[in-house]
Each structure stands twice: as structure tokens, then as C-alpha cells.
């Protein structure tokens, strides 16, 4: 249906552009760097405060489990206590094997956290090195990295991890380090890709050209000018991956191909608690809560850091 | 467009060869005899070892073995596993089950993820948006196997809405519970991605133009905002097929689904090299082809790619 209304003239209501309080800008004050700015943003985010407090607590538990429980996790397991409920000194009850659930959770923190942190460090070292070289120099390093990245990208990480952990070397030398090695081998290409992209964005910036013109060597410019300005997305990915790697370790241990039995891991505990799921599900739920809360803390931290460091997402 | 498709097709070949070569090398060429592992402590007669080695071409040089493997893969002559069962028949039995599971999970995460993400993005900063954002972080943080057990316990055992384990009769209905578990983690990512994308596009010039032209709000949202917001989401869904396959290993184990993930896990633990290599290769092929399709879909969604030389 067409309107018959005649529009004689139309003038859009135009507001005068209001005068913004730009006069209050203090020109003499030094501009905040990206990091100082991000830190100011972070300090005010409740998500950041909550996750930092939780992570500090988790780190304390991992470093000093003795502060939180006096019960050794593996000794004194009495089959008489199998699946028994909470008693004095054993607030969460006992596992199928009669071990103290609370003590096992406390002592399992270390494996999860150390695997996560070590894997992230390895991935950072390998990924940033290759990614920065490929993005900055281009040429054959870039071509090799692109192909390698494609190949690893086509191999889903859990699938690859399952195959690698069954190699004789890994099967016979199970330890925190083999899990870290498996995760790093499969996860570094993504870090390299992100670094490469960030380096490519920065490498032709004016301040890099200026540094080169002042006689800084090509590698020196990469190390002192390009990398520090390309590191923000890398930090964000690293924080998020910490949580992802902790899940991966727990999943591998759950499948029986991760940590050796001698090391306490939440994945093991959840796997062992499967036998009790119908009779006493809480034996499974407690370590699951510990795992989820740990991962949630790191993912929340990563989310807050991304919001603070990514200017695009904070504009609006 | 034709050149774009051709280039993408050509890129698939080295990726597929590289990935299968990597897996084949790890399973068959690294130290540790795959045949000796079959017999455990007992020492089999040398003639049996020789016959088995010949059957799996382990007496040939590595690259010849790999060549034979590729030839067999493309002629669908997949051979037999260590228990002399034809692998092709096993695959034909278990593959449809996992395909059903993956498609169901994919639909769940795509439909619900996009719907929630769209509503959250359109009502940015409101109660619904902030609730959904926090809830999605929690969903991301809970590992698939924990979610699997919790859902099995609540919906399978206590409420009795679905069967806790699937068993032999896998169909669309019995697979719903495992599919929800499998799809839930990626659902949160799809939601967040859609939300960010919608917020970004809401302030785009073409949306303002569309509104100024007098298009109705639903039309602006559906054809202008939503379609353009789908570009990163579609890419993510394709790339995410890989983690769906990884998740299938865990989910199928918990819910006892007779699918590829379950079979692969068993084969890896038993050291059944031929089965592992074939299943992983097929999965890689599916993944690579799916990503090819996603790239073509991407070109359809985004004209800037379509008209690129």
C-alpha cells in the first residue's frame, strides 16, 4: 500500500555539536601506555578481582598442600571406609578405595596447575619464536610454518594426543613432562599463528622504520620494537589456553593416557569415581567441582585481560 | 570464484598427505614393534611374525608402506584389523552413529548458540546479556567429561528423561543426551562469537542505511545484521568439527555409544595400529573436506571473498 501523503519539505533536526570538555585534558601528563591503561581498566573489573583472588588461592593450595590438610592422600586408605560419608577430619567422605576425598583434591591441585603453566610456557617459547620469525622475515620460514600449521590444524588435539601418548617412549616414561610435551607439540602452531599475525601488523609501523633508520639491526628492531608491541594478543591467548590445557590434562588422565598413577590428578579421581556414580555420586562431583572452578578462574581472567587489552572490544 | 575454489581444492592435498603421513609415521615407524606388542609376554613362532609382517606390509621400506596404505585407502580396500575383522565393515557400522551424534550436536550448538547470541547482542548490557555472558563462561569451564557424568546422573538416572547409556540401539532419539553434552561447550563459544559479531555489525554503516531506507526492524536484523554476523560463526563451526571429534571420544565412552570415538579409543589402547591409522585418516579427511565446504560457504556469505581475483 502506497502512502498518498505529500511531503512538502523535510528538515532533519540538526543538533549543534556540543562542546566536549576537551579543555580538561592535561597535556603535560605523560600518556598511559597500553599496559598501564589495561591495568587501570582491569583493577575495576569485578571479573578480574574475583578470578585473581581464586587463582591466588589455587596457587597457594598447589604450593603448600600441607596448609590445608594433614591427611596424606594415599596412605591410610582403609577399604572399611569405602564410599563412607563425611566424618570428623574428613569433610568430603571417602573414595571407593577408602581414601580421603578432600585430601586427594588438595593434593591433586599441583599436577593440574603445573601441567597447565609449564605447557603454556613451552607453547609461548616455541610459538612466539617461530611466529615472530615467520611474520618478520617471511620467506621460507613463513612458508614452512604455514604448511606445518595447516597439518597440525587438521589433526584434532585430543585425537593427536591419544596417538602420541601411546608411542612407546611416552607410554614408558609417563610423567608431568610427557603430558607437557604432548600438549606443547600439538598446541604451539596456534600460538605461532597468532604471533605471526600480530607481528605482521606491526612490522611496517613508523616507529620500526625509524628505529631501523637510526641504525638498529633488523633483529634488534624485532626484539625491542616489534615484539613488545605485538605481544597483547599473545598474552590473551596464553591466559585462555592455561584453562584449556588444564582441561586437556584432566581429560588425558581421565582416559588413562595422561599422568602416571603415582601422581595425584583430578582426572584420575573422576575416572576412578565412575564405579561409585550410582551409589555415591558426590565422590565424582567434588573433584569435578575443583577442576571446573580452577578452569573457570583462568577463563575469567583471560576474558578480563582480553577486554582490557583489546581496544576494539572496549570502544563501546 | 572458480579460481578460488580450485585454489582451495589444491590446498587440501598437501594438508591431507602431511597429516596422514605424520600419523602413519608415529604409529608404524617409530621404535617399538607393533606386531610383537600383540602377543604380550608369549613369543610367537617366527613364521607367524613373518606372515603378519607381510600382511601389514611391515617388511617393506616405510615410504612404500605409506604408499600402499594410501592406495588402499582410496580404493576402499581397508584390509583387516588384528582380530581379522574387515575394517571397512566396522567403519560402515560405526561411522553413521558418530555422524548422527556430530550432526545433532552441531545443530544444537548452531541453532541455540546463534539464537542466544543474537538476543544477547541486540540487548547489549541488559540483564539477559550479562546473565548469558557469565553463564557461558561457566559452561566453557566445565570439561566435557564432567558435564557428561553430571547430565547422565541428573537426566538419565535421577529424572529418567533419557536413557543413561545408548548401547546398541543408537538413533536420533537416544543420542540426544550425548549430543547435548557434546554440543554444549562449543555452544558457549558460538554464543559469544555471535554476540560480539552482532554488536559490531549493529553500528555498521550498511545497517544504518537499511534502517534509513525504512526497512522493518525484523528485516534489518535478519537479513543485514544476522547474515553478516554469521561469517565468523560459520568459520568457527567448521574449525570446531575437530574438537567435536575429540569430544566424541569422551562422550561416546561415557554414554557407551558404539561410534568412531569409542572404537578409536579402544584401538589406541590395544595398540591396533591399522585401525587407528585408518580411523584417524578418515576423520582428518572429513575435517579437511568440511573446512573446504565452510570456506565455500564463507565465500557465499561474504562477497568480498567471492569477487577477489
Amino acid at each position: 500500500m502506497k502512502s498518498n501523503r505529500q511531503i512538502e519539505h523535510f528538515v532533519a533536526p540538526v543538533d549543534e555539536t556540543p562542546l566536549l570538555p576537551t579543555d580538561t585534558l592535561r597535556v603535560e601528563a605523560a600518556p598511559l601506555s597500553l599496559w598501564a591503561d589495561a591495568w587501570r581498566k582491569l583493577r575495576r573489573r569485578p571479573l578480574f578481582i574475583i578470578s585473581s583472588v581464586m587463582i591466588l588461592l589455587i596457587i597457594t593450595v598447589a604450593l603448600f598442600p600441607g596448609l590445608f590438610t594433614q591427611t596424606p592422600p594415599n596412605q591410610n586408605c582403609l577399604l572399611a571406609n569405602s564410599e563412607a560419608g563425611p566424618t570428623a577430619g574428613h569433610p568430603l567422605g571417602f573414595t571407593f578405595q577408602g581414601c580421603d576425598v578432600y585430601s586427594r583434591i588438595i593434593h591433586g591441585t599441583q599436577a593440574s596447575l603445573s601441567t597447565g603453566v609449564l605447557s603454556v610456557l613451552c607453547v609461548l617459547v616455541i610459538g612466539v619464536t617461530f611466529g615472530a620469525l615467520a611474520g618478520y622475515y617471511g620467506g621460507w620460514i613463513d612458508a614452512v610454518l604455514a604448511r606445518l600449521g595447516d597439518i597440525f590444524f587438521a589433526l584434532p588435539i585430543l585425537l593427536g594426543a591419544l596417538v602420541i601418548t601411546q608411542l612407546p617412549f611416552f607410554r614408558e616414561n609417563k610423567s608431568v613432562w610427557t603430558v607437557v610435551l604432548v600438549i606443547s607439540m600439538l598446541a604451539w602452531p596456534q600460538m605461532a599463528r597468532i604471533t605471526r599475525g600480530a607481528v605482521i601488523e606491526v612490522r611496517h609501523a613508523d616507529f620500526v622504520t625509524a628505529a631501523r633508520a637510526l641504525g638498529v639491526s633488523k633483529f634488534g628492531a624485532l626484539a625491542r620494537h616489534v615484539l613488545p608491541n605485538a605481544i597483547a594478543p599473545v598474552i590473551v591467548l596464553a591466559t585462555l589456553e592455561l584453562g584449556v590445557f588444564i582441561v586437556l590434562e584432566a581429560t588425558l588422565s581421565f582416559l588413562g593416557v595422561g599422568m602416571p598413577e603415582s601422581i595425584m590428578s583430578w582426572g584420575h579421581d573422576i575416572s576412578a569415581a565412575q564405579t561409585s556414580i550410582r551409589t555415591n555420586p558426590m565422590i565424582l562431583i567434588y573433584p569435578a567441582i575443583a577442576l571446573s572452578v580452577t578452569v573457570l578462574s583462568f577463563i575469567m581472567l583471560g576474558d578480563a585481560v582480553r577486554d582490557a587489552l583489546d581496544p576494539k572490544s572496549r570502544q563501546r | 570464484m572458480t579460481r578460488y575454489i580450485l585454489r582451495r581444492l589444491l590446498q587440501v592435498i598437501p594438508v591431507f598427505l602431511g597429516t596422514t603421513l605424520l600419523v602413519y609415521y608415529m604409529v608404524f615407524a617409530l621404535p617399538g614393534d607393533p606386531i610383537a606388542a600383540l602377543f604380550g609376554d608369549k613369543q610367537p613362532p617366527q613364521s607367524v611374525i613373518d606372515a603378519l609382517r607381510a600382511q601389514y606390509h611391515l617388511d617393506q621400506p616405510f615410504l612404500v608402506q605409506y604408499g600402499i596404505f594410501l592406495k588402499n585407502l582410496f580404493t576402499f580396500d581397508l584390509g583387516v584389523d588384528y582380530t581379522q575383522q574387515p575394517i571397512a565393515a566396522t567403519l560402515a557400522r560405526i561411522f553413521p552413529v558418530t555422524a548422527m551424534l556430530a550432526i545433532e550436536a552441531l545443530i544444537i550448538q548452531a541453532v541455540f548458540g546463534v539464537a542466544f547470541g543474537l538476543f544477547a547482542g541486540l540487548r547489549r548490557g541488559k540483564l539477559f546479556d550479562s546473565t548469558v555472558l557469565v553463564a557461558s563462561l561457566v559452561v566453557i569451564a566445565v570439561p566435557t567429561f564432567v558435564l557428561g557424568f553430571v547430565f547422565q546422573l541428573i537426566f538419565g538416572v535421577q529424572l529418567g528423561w533419557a536413557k543413561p547409556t545408548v548401547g546398541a540401539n543408537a538413533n536420533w532419539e537416544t543420542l540426544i543426551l550425548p549430543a547435548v553434552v557434546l554440543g554444549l561447550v562449543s555452544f558457549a563459544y558460538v554464543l559469544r562469537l555471535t554476540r560480539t559479531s552482532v554488536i559490531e555489525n549493529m553500528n555498521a554503516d550498511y545497517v544504518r542505511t537499511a534502517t534509513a531506507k525504512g526497512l522493518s526492524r525484523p528485516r534489518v536484523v535478519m537479513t543485514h545484521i544476522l547474515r553478516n554476523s554469521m561469517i565468523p560463526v560459520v568459520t568457527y563451526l567448521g574449525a570446531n568439527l575437530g574438537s567435536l571429534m575429540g569430544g566424541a571420544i569422551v562422550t561416546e565412552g561415557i554414554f557407551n555409544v558404539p561410534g568412531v570415538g569409542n572404537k578409536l579409543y579402544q584401538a589406541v589402547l590395544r595398540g591396533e595400529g591399522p585401525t587407528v591409522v585408518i580411523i584417524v585418516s578418515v576423520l582428518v579427511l572429513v575435517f579437511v573436506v568440511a573446512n573446504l565446504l565452510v570456506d565455500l560457504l564463507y565465500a557465499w556469505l561474504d562477497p568480498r571473498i567471492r569477487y577477489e581475483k
Side-chain angles (χ1 to χ4, degrees):
Chain A
M1 196 180 75
K2 257 192 142 180
S3 160
N4 294 322
R5 195 158 58 94
Q6 292 275 313
I7 297 173
E8 299 291 326
H9 63 278
F10 181 73
V11 179
V14 180
D15 286 328
E16 290 266 317
T17 311
L19 206 59
L20 292 168
T22 42
D23 323 339
T24 58
L25 193 69
R26 281 165 48 210
V27 249
E28 74 274 14
L32 281 173
S33 74
L34 174 69
W35 303 103
D37 191 27
W39 173 238
R40 270 171 46 137
K41 290 255 150 54
L42 269 182
R43 268 187 324 202
R44 270 178 279 151
R45 288 286 305 269
L47 205 61
F48 174 74
I49 298 166
I50 297 171
S51 59
S52 315
V53 170
M54 291 206 301
I55 288 170
L56 280 180
L57 180 70
I58 294 163
I59 293 175
T60 320
V61 173
L63 290 179
F64 312 105
L67 286 179
F68 295 86
T69 173
Q70 299 301 321
T71 320
N74 263 343
Q75 292 111 44
N76 310 329
C77 296
L78 290 173
L79 278 179
N81 287 335
S82 178
E83 297 192 15
T87 54
H90 307 284
L92 303 182
F94 296 88
T95 65
F96 186 69
Q97 297 290 340
C99 303
D100 182 7
V101 171
Y102 173 70
S103 164
R104 287 191 67 90
I105 291 176
I106 293 293
H107 284 272
T109 315
Q110 205 164 26
S112 277
L113 206 62
S114 54
T115 315
V117 171
L118 290 173
S119 307
V120 166
L121 287 180
C122 286
V123 166
L124 271 176
V125 169
I126 311 172
V128 170
T129 312
F130 273 91
L133 291 178
Y136 191 63
Y137 291 103
W140 65 269
I141 309 181
D142 199 20
V144 169
L145 184 82
R147 293 290 85 77
L148 264 183
D150 282 347
I151 288 172
F152 277 97
F153 183 69
L155 191 64
I157 193 157
L158 195 57
L159 228 61
L162 207 54
V163 173
I164 296 176
T165 48
Q166 288 308 297
L167 300 177
F169 170 79
F170 286 92
R171 211 160 21 178
E172 283 149 26
N173 303 301
K174 269 185 173 182
S175 69
V176 172
W177 285 104
T178 51
V179 180
V180 170
L181 196 62
V182 170
I183 296 177
S184 318
M185 272 165 74
L186 293 164
W188 72 267
Q190 200 199 352
M191 186 63 83
R193 277 194 172 188
I194 296 288
T195 315
R196 176 184 171 274
V199 164
I200 286 180
E201 257 181 44
V202 183
R203 77 176 160 177
H204 290 306
D206 288 343
F207 58 85
V208 180
T209 320
R212 292 279 288 134
L214 284 170
V216 177
S217 71
K218 197 159 187 204
F219 183 78
L222 170 65
R224 262 178 291 163
H225 299 279
V226 176
L227 261 188
N229 287 291
I231 211 77
V234 176
I235 301 279
V236 171
L237 182 65
T239 331
L240 287 172
E241 281 200 326
L242 235 168
V244 174
F245 291 167
I246 290 176
V247 171
L248 200 56
E249 181 274 317
T251 309
L252 289 176
S253 296
F254 169 76
L255 291 174
V257 297
M259 292 286 172
E261 287 296 327
S262 56
I263 297 180
M264 215 71 56
S265 157
W266 294 331
H268 283 153
D269 285 0
I270 295 171
S271 172
Q274 283 179 75
T275 45
S276 323
I277 188 159
R278 298 281 168 99
T279 48
N280 195 348
M282 292 321 280
I283 300 174
L284 188 144
I285 301 293
Y286 286 131
I289 290 176
L291 175 62
S292 306
V293 167
T294 306
V295 177
L296 180 65
S297 313
F298 284 107
I299 290 191
M300 274 176 8
L301 181 73
D303 209 52
V305 169
R306 189 202 8 233
D307 282 354
L309 279 181
D310 184 3
K312 216 177 154 191
S313 75
R314 107 170 95 110
Q315 264 169 15
R316 288 181 288 268
Chain B
M1 187 69 183
T2 324
R3 275 187 65 169
Y4 174 77
I5 295 175
L6 271 180
R7 205 177 60 213
R8 279 297 284 117
L9 271 174
L10 284 178
Q11 278 172 353
V12 165
I13 298 168
V15 170
F16 179 73
L17 290 181
T19 314
T20 48
L21 187 67
L22 187 74
V23 173
Y24 197 87
Y25 181 80
M26 287 196 298
V27 172
F28 282 116
L30 286 180
D33 190 342
I35 298 293
L38 275 180
F39 294 93
D41 296 337
K42 286 190 191 144
Q43 185 59 35
Q46 192 58 40
S47 56
V48 174
I49 296 184
D50 288 343
L52 277 171
R53 291 185 71 83
Q55 187 184 354
Y56 293 108
H57 310 290
L58 292 177
D59 47 354
Q60 311 269 358
F62 172 70
L63 277 179
V64 177
Q65 285 179 37
Y66 177 68
I68 296 173
F69 159 75
L70 272 189
K71 196 197 99 208
N72 289 344
L73 194 64
F74 283 103
T75 51
F76 295 105
D77 175 17
L78 303 182
V80 292
D81 61 16
Y82 286 164
T83 54
Q84 305 301 321
Q85 301 286 319
I87 296 177
T90 312
L91 271 188
R93 184 161 40 82
I94 61 178
F95 214 85
V97 176
T98 299
M100 268 198 287
L101 181 65
I103 291 172
E104 225 173 315
L106 201 67
I107 292 174
I108 290 171
Q109 69 192 41
V111 171
F112 288 93
V114 169
F116 277 76
L118 180 67
F119 282 119
L122 290 176
R123 289 164 181 68
R124 180 166 193 269
K126 301 277 170 58
L127 181 68
F128 179 76
D129 182 35
S130 19
T131 317
V132 157
L133 264 189
V134 174
S136 68
L137 276 188
V138 176
V139 171
I140 290 173
V142 182
T144 309
F145 63 102
V146 170
L147 216 57
F149 282 124
V150 171
F151 274 39
Q152 189 181 39
L153 192 67
I154 295 176
F155 299 109
V157 179
Q158 291 178 349
L159 294 176
W161 289 357
K163 281 179 73 180
T165 53
V166 174
N169 55 338
N171 54 44
W172 295 106
E173 205 186 317
T174 51
L175 283 175
I176 281 190
L177 198 54
V180 169
V181 170
L182 187 56
L184 213 54
V185 174
S186 310
F187 153 78
Y189 282 109
V190 172
L191 184 160
R192 294 175 75 90
L193 203 56
T194 311
R195 176 186 171 275
T196 317
S197 199
V198 163
I199 289 172
E200 214 160 274
N201 285 324
M202 266 190 339
N203 298 336
D205 288 343
Y206 57 80
V207 172
R208 191 145 28 96
T209 311
T211 315
K213 274 196 313 190
L215 293 186
S216 68
R217 180 71 178 158
R219 197 169 156 76
V220 173
V221 169
M222 293 316 281
T223 56
H224 292 266
I225 298 180
L226 187 60
R227 178 164 166 178
N228 283 291
S229 305
M230 289 310 289
I231 295 169
V233 177
V234 165
T235 319
Y236 173 78
L237 284 175
N240 186 50
L241 259 187
S243 71
L244 217 56
M245 289 170 192
I249 298 174
V250 174
T251 323
E252 290 184 1
I254 292 173
F255 291 97
N256 192 22
V257 178
V260 175
N262 218 341
K263 182 78 189 166
L264 179 68
Y265 179 54
Q266 304 295 341
V268 167
L269 289 193
R270 285 198 208 114
E272 281 184 32
T275 319
V276 172
V277 169
I278 285 173
I279 291 184
V280 173
S281 304
V282 172
L283 289 184
V284 166
L285 194 62
V286 169
F287 182 60
V288 171
V289 170
N291 271 292
L292 180 73
L293 291 179
V294 163
D295 273 10
L296 300 182
L297 192 61
Y298 194 79
W300 172 72
L301 277 171
D302 191 347
R304 279 170 303 188
I305 296 176
R306 212 181 320 159
Y307 298 125
E308 196 186 336
K309 287 186 300 297

